[in-house]
Amino acid sequence: MAVRKLKKDIYSVGGIDWDRRLFDELIPLPEGTTYNSYLINGGKKTALIDTVDPRTEEELIVNLNKLKIKKIDYLISNHAEQDHSGTIPVIIDLYPEAKVVTNEKCKNMLIDLLHIPDKKFKVIRDKEKLSLGNKTLEFIITPWVHWPETMVTYLKEDKILFSCDFFGSHYASSDLFIEKEEIELMNAKRYYAEIMMPFRSQIKRNLKKLEDYEINIIAPSHGAVYQNPELIINAYKKWTGDDVTNEVIIPYVSMHGSTKKMVDYLYNVLVERGIKTTPFNLLETDTGSLAISLVNTATVILATPTILTGPHPNVVYAAVLLNALRPKTKYISIIGSYGWGGKTIEVLKSLISNLKVELIEPYLSKGYPNKKDFKALDKLADEILKRHKKLDLI
Ligand code: FEO
């Protein structure tokens, strides 16, 4: 990515990864991503905020050369994950005077992950300041966004928050600033759902901590820069808040049509009761779309056939993902079908033990569903309606 000027003496110098389609070998990146790195010239000292994934290290080096940077005094590491830290060893080789500035936890992780020598570090504490001459950096430790060592850096004079993963989005674009807010918010919501959602309560605490700072610009390390920080801060407040929506999602798999018939029936009777309902065929759904739908949804129904003695492996995967992402979902149930027996319900229940949810009585049909089974699904829809009403969602 070319050098782009953020403000006087502040440049975006990172890399753009148009082709990456999977992150952590798990998270789909339909729009690619960026690894943003920012160069600040403070008159007396020069600082580089985060580096880039090694996949794009050449772009960072070319950009620093284009700006004719001869010396970097401080290399700020907000987060030890390699998509931001992976090029630190190359930069400290090229700029041997550079000190890696970070907190104690991050330092230890960088030593473990990248074998950076101890003597290269300058360790800072929460809210410590560092003068670059006519610009001052303040480091704000924001644990668990989404690793234990994460911090953000505030540039006092320009009121810019360099937030690293916090408020980021996986979206490859040559735009420095956000052009289309709706698209950006959807990408940021996907990012939140896939990466930040398990740490909802810690993120809430960190949002509160940031209220002490006047922020005019948020410059994350993935995606575009926010000139209207309220846009993403308010979205984060909504996503991390306790409110859920009058929605049911039904992640499902069907082998011979029995479970699909039940999903279709339940979908219709829920919609008739005024509840927004979305089925997700797990053989076709991208996990990011499923994760986004979990951010505010009140109720999840897992729907599966019984294969051999338990749930279909794709439904097992969805349950494990749900358990890991820990959404604020209030209610869960299980529906599906079986031919001769099995432990489908027990297995799925055991896979979602992290979730603080009420389990509404599951129901499996023996073979293709009949009148009795549809009656059971009517009852399930009534139970969901009753609970959504209790929460004033309807
Ligand atoms: Fe963008 Fe947690 O790394």
Side-chain angles (χ1 to χ4, degrees):
M1 187 154 48
V3 174
R4 284 140 338 135
K5 187 172 174 180
L6 188 65
K7 277 188 88 174
K8 187 174 179 294
D9 294 327
I10 306 167
Y11 298 93
S12 178
V13 292
I16 189 161
D17 203 339
W18 296 101
D19 297 328
R20 192 160 184 175
R21 286 293 172 266
L22 206 57
F23 198 84
D24 292 344
E25 306 305 342
L26 171 70
I27 296 162
L29 303 182
E31 310 285 351
T33 192
T34 64
Y35 315 108
N36 304 337
S37 172
Y38 300 96
L39 187 97
I40 304 171
N41 182 351
K44 288 188 178 153
K45 304 280 184 188
T46 299
L48 184 69
I49 311 255
D50 292 316
T51 67
V52 295
D53 191 286
R55 291 162 64 105
T56 62
E57 69 180 35
E58 206 180 320
E59 288 182 57
L60 173 59
I61 294 162
V62 166
N63 286 343
L64 294 174
N65 287 336
K66 274 190 191 157
L67 286 171
K68 301 188 172 28
I69 302 300
K70 298 280 176 264
K71 187 180 174 211
I72 290 173
D73 299 280
Y74 301 120
L75 201 176
I76 316 302
S77 179
N78 283 316
H79 176 28
E81 193 165 8
Q82 291 89 333
D83 53 327
H84 310 292
S85 69
T87 304
I88 293 178
V90 174
I91 296 295
I92 57 180
D93 267 359
L94 291 172
Y95 297 91
E97 302 94 339
K99 282 279 178 204
V100 180
V101 180
T102 193
N103 61 74
E104 184 73 31
K105 253 190 201 147
C106 189
K107 172 190 146 179
N108 291 331
M109 291 177 88
L110 290 171
I111 291 172
D112 290 342
L113 295 171
L114 299 166
H115 300 173
I116 297 170
D118 194 291
K119 62 176 188 211
K120 296 301 290 183
F121 287 92
K122 174 178 169 55
V123 173
I124 51 82
R125 292 181 312 278
D126 189 27
K127 302 202 173 181
E128 191 170 326
K129 294 184 178 71
L130 181 67
S131 173
L132 305 179
N134 52 32
K135 294 189 189 294
T136 315
L137 300 177
E138 180 173 340
F139 308 104
I140 309 161
I141 297 190
T142 50
W144 293 107
V145 185
H146 58 127
W147 279 16
E149 87 304 356
T150 43
M151 67 179 206
V152 296
T153 300
Y154 180 66
L155 176 52
K156 196 169 151 254
E157 290 74 9
D158 298 274
K159 300 181 172 53
I160 301 176
L161 185 76
F162 296 97
S163 60
C164 201
D165 279 349
F166 207 176
F167 308 123
S169 61
H170 286 309
Y171 185 59
S173 165
S174 61
D175 296 333
L176 175 60
F177 297 106
I178 282 158
E179 296 286 328
K180 293 193 175 115
E181 292 188 346
E182 264 176 44
I183 293 176
E184 186 55 37
L185 274 187
M186 186 45 77
N187 289 319
K189 188 175 185 182
R190 171 184 276 265
Y191 187 88
Y192 167 82
E194 292 168 334
I195 294 166
M196 301 293 173
M197 191 156 62
F199 309 100
R200 190 170 68 92
S201 50
Q202 291 94 328
I203 288 169
K204 246 167 138 172
R205 271 200 291 279
N206 287 316
L207 283 171
K208 190 95 195 126
K209 194 169 181 181
L210 293 180
E211 284 176 4
D212 295 343
Y213 297 84
E214 191 186 344
I215 299 168
N216 287 349
I217 289 177
I218 291 181
S221 292
H222 296 291
V225 170
Y226 288 87
Q227 290 171 299
N228 169 16
E230 289 303 309
L231 181 74
I232 189 68
I233 290 174
N234 288 339
Y236 259 69
K237 282 184 181 165
K238 190 174 158 206
W239 300 334
T240 57
D242 294 331
D243 291 345
V244 288
T245 49
N246 178 33
E247 288 182 57
V248 172
I249 63 161
I250 315 178
Y252 77 93
V253 173
S254 187
M255 287 160 66
H256 298 291
S258 302
T259 299
K260 176 75 164 69
K261 185 77 185 168
M262 294 178 79
V263 169
D264 289 347
Y265 187 88
L266 183 62
Y267 161 82
N268 277 308
V269 292
L270 285 168
V271 172
E272 279 166 14
R273 283 160 177 76
I275 300 170
K276 181 178 173 179
T277 304
T278 311
F280 283 92
N281 181 344
L282 292 171
L283 299 183
E284 288 165 15
T285 292
D286 120 64
T287 45
S289 305
L290 180 61
I292 291 172
S293 76
L294 290 169
V295 171
N296 289 308
T297 295
T299 301
V300 176
I301 311 291
L302 292 168
T304 183
T306 299
I307 175 164
L308 302 175
T309 57
H312 189 284
N314 289 49
V315 181
V316 168
Y317 181 82
V320 170
L321 191 70
L322 194 64
N323 198 50
L325 293 179
R326 283 183 282 157
K328 56 186 165 184
T329 304
K330 304 284 182 200
Y331 310 109
I332 282 205
S333 192
I334 299 159
I335 62 168
S337 56
Y338 65 99
W340 53 87
K343 294 197 167 171
T344 293
I345 291 170
E346 292 89 324
V347 171
L348 285 178
K349 270 162 74 175
S350 73
L351 293 174
I352 52 172
S353 58
N354 268 350
L355 303 181
K356 290 179 188 145
V357 289
E358 181 190 342
L359 181 76
I360 306 174
E361 186 68 28
Y363 185 81
L364 298 185
S365 137
K366 187 167 191 299
Y368 199 72
N370 59 26
K371 238 179 175 175
K372 171 174 72 72
D373 304 312
F374 294 133
K375 233 173 147 179
L377 294 176
D378 285 332
K379 188 166 170 273
L380 176 58
D382 285 337
E383 291 296 326
I384 294 168
L385 178 65
K386 200 161 80 187
R387 283 161 177 81
H388 282 210
K389 278 185 171 167
K390 213 168 117 191
L391 290 179
D392 280 333
L393 302 181
I394 192 166

